[in-house]
Amino acid sequence: LMTYFEAIRGHPELARLFVVEGLAAGGPITARFDDLAARLSRILCRFEPDARLSPQSALLLTGISGGLFHIGRQWIMEGFATP
């Protein structure tokens, strides 16, 4: 998580493009974001990359990645004011 948030703070222009504006673009950009978010969630929950997940586990991963996305988005929008 530190790496994720350090990358956002270290590259605010790219972070804004990807995290704030990217989802509005739709199509392949949104699909790529969803894939990366799912990978991050699997790492955090220690699921194997190719493991078959139950519907409940898949939904949990979606919630985790969504939460991280919204925290990052809010942090960018407030200009990284909260430490």
Side-chain angles (χ1 to χ4, degrees):
L1 287 175
M2 291 296 295
T3 300
Y4 170 70
F5 289 112
E6 286 172 0
I8 288 174
R9 179 179 249 163
H11 305 281
E13 299 85 13
L14 291 175
R16 179 177 270 294
L17 180 65
F18 186 69
V19 177
V20 177
E21 309 294 336
L23 292 182
I29 293 173
T30 300
R32 181 70 174 145
F33 175 83
D34 290 344
D35 178 58
L36 292 172
R39 287 182 188 196
L40 176 60
S41 296
R42 283 176 175 265
I43 291 168
L44 293 173
C45 291
R46 300 176 190 244
F47 283 111
E48 293 297 320
D50 297 322
R52 291 181 49 101
L53 301 176
S54 70
Q56 294 85 1
S57 294
L59 192 58
L60 173 65
L61 292 180
T62 300
I64 291 168
S65 63
L68 292 173
F69 165 76
H70 284 293
I71 290 169
R73 183 178 179 277
Q74 180 62 36
W75 200 41
I76 292 165
M77 298 301 290
E78 71 179 27
F80 311 103
T82 304

